[in-house]
């Protein structure tokens, strides 16, 4: 079902800098294989076999340091005590921006969309190869690291204010609850107003080059964003469709 054959990463220490990954998986064999694959790449790995322990680790990490020392959360959905989707919802309600990679045997489009909608950054369906698993972890960690560089304290366009370091958006002074991918699309749009982005460019910038999926996921996220940001989603003033090319902000 799972293959442990992965390509060694000679620059793992340089890229990872002992990045800490929390693996939450209740099946012992799968959890051990995930840990082994990540440790081979020089990541520091913590584990939890149920949702309650995972929440405890994440809360203790935040309470002790003032900010989370967990750089990536690898999360199974079907967990004892507290399921993975509820953990995602809890973390995003608390404003925790830790990247989340969901692992699940549920591979339908509805399941994947639900996982992304509640706050996951990526979704990997079982069974999968360890090569792909490690590549997705690297991509999420790389994007997290790059997003932390040279962030302005605030981006403003008309009635929308976006605070990158706080993962917060205000619309006419009222806070708007955006999912992580929606927030990153909006941050990209507001960083380059009036630039036209194709679906492929948005997938590359927000989901990463390792993303495997349908480009229509961009359209789904744009529709959700319009429902939250536009006075009339059918006649948007912020997120404009440029037919034959893609989308423009402003």
């Amino acid at each position: 079902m799972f293959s442990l054959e992965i390509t060694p990463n000679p620059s793992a220490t340089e890229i990872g800098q002992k990045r800490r990954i929390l693996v939450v998986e209740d099946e012992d064999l799968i959890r051990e294989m995930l840990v082994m694959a990540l440790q081979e790449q020089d990541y520091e790995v913590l584990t939890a076999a149920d949702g309650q322990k995972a929440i405890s680790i994440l809360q203790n990490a935040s309470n002790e340091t003032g900010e989370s020392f967990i750089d990536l959360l690898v999360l199974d959905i079907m967990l004892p005590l507290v399921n993975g989707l509820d953990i995602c919802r809890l973390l995003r309600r608390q404003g925790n921006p830790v990247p989340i990679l969901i692992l699940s045997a549920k591979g339908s489009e509805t399941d994947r969309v639900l996982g992304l909608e509640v706050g996951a950054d990526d979704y990997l369906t079982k069974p999968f190869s360890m090569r792909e698993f490690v590549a997705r972890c690297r991509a999420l960690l790389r994007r997290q690291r790059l997003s932390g560089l040279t962030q302005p304290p605030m981006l403003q366009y008309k009635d929308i204010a976006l605070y990158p370091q706080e993962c917060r958006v205000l619309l006419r002074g009222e806070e708007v609850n955006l999912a992580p991918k929606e927030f990153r699309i909006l941050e990209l749009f507001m960083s380059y107003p009036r630039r036209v982005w194709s679906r492929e460019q948005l997938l590359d910038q927000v989901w990463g080059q390792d993303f495997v999926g349908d480009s229509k996921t961009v359209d789904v996220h744009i529709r959700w964003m319009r429902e939250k940001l536009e006075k009339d989603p059918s006649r948007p003033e912020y997120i404009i469709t440029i037919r034959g090319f893609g989308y423009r902000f402003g």
Side-chain angles (χ1 to χ4, degrees):
M1 182 172 66
F2 297 91
S3 170
L4 255 182
E5 181 184 352
I6 55 177
T7 303
N9 179 17
S11 59
T13 302
E14 179 183 351
I15 295 175
Q17 293 294 320
K18 282 294 183 182
R19 310 296 291 279
R20 294 183 181 92
I21 301 175
L22 174 58
V23 174
V24 188
E25 167 63 62
D26 63 320
E27 294 188 36
D28 294 341
L29 178 59
I30 297 176
R31 187 173 64 252
E32 291 169 5
M33 293 177 70
L34 298 174
V35 170
M36 189 182 306
L38 293 171
Q39 288 178 338
E40 285 284 331
Q41 301 298 301
D42 208 27
Y43 295 118
E44 182 178 338
V45 186
L46 305 177
T47 62
D50 63 68
Q52 191 61 57
K53 183 178 179 182
I55 292 172
S56 177
I57 291 174
L58 290 159
Q59 289 179 338
N60 288 335
S62 177
N63 290 339
E64 291 172 2
T65 65
E67 61 180 277
S68 178
F69 63 69
I70 303 299
D71 298 300
L72 173 64
L73 176 59
V74 176
L75 186 63
D76 187 26
I77 287 183
M78 303 300 293
L79 293 169
L81 303 181
V82 183
N83 70 52
L85 295 180
D86 286 338
I87 293 175
C88 283
R89 292 188 184 97
L90 174 64
L91 292 175
R92 297 318 185 206
R93 280 201 305 268
Q94 294 176 341
N96 190 326
V98 62
I100 300 174
L101 169 59
I102 279 184
L103 308 179
S104 177
K106 296 182 176 181
S108 71
E109 181 181 6
T110 300
D111 291 318
R112 295 196 303 272
V113 169
L114 177 60
L116 296 172
E117 187 174 15
V118 299
D121 296 271
D122 199 358
Y123 193 107
L124 187 56
T125 304
K126 299 176 182 179
F128 50 82
S129 72
M130 287 297 143
R131 187 191 302 271
E132 181 180 6
F133 167 69
V134 169
R136 288 178 184 251
C137 289
R138 281 187 196 145
L140 288 172
L141 288 167
R142 182 169 60 247
R143 292 204 298 276
Q144 180 209 41
R145 192 167 196 170
L146 291 175
S147 68
L149 301 176
T150 62
Q151 284 186 327
M154 191 261 282
L155 296 171
Q156 178 85 43
Y157 185 86
K158 294 185 178 180
D159 293 330
I160 299 178
L162 182 146
Y163 298 84
Q165 297 176 3
E166 301 175 29
C167 296
R168 196 160 61 97
V169 174
L170 299 182
L171 175 63
R172 292 182 287 278
E174 297 291 328
E175 189 155 352
V176 180
N177 184 24
L178 295 183
K181 286 291 189 295
E182 296 167 3
F183 181 89
R184 287 171 185 157
I185 293 172
L186 182 60
E187 182 180 11
L188 183 66
F189 280 161
M190 294 183 68
S191 298
Y192 302 92
R194 303 196 65 79
R195 171 174 171 173
V196 177
W197 296 88
S198 69
R199 291 179 181 84
E200 290 72 23
Q201 288 173 326
L202 290 172
L203 285 173
D204 183 41
Q205 292 290 326
V206 177
W207 280 261
Q209 296 180 353
D210 301 302
F211 174 76
V212 179
D214 195 327
S215 64
K216 290 182 180 178
T217 191
V218 172
D219 301 330
V220 173
H221 282 74
I222 293 294
R223 185 176 74 248
W224 291 338
M225 291 172 66
R226 283 174 171 161
E227 291 172 355
K228 297 175 182 179
L229 298 173
E230 304 283 1
K231 291 181 180 178
D232 182 358
S234 64
R235 301 178 62 184
E237 61 177 299
Y238 292 115
I239 305 173
I240 311 300
T241 300
I242 308 299
R243 298 194 180 281
F245 293 95
Y247 297 100
R248 187 193 76 209
F249 185 80

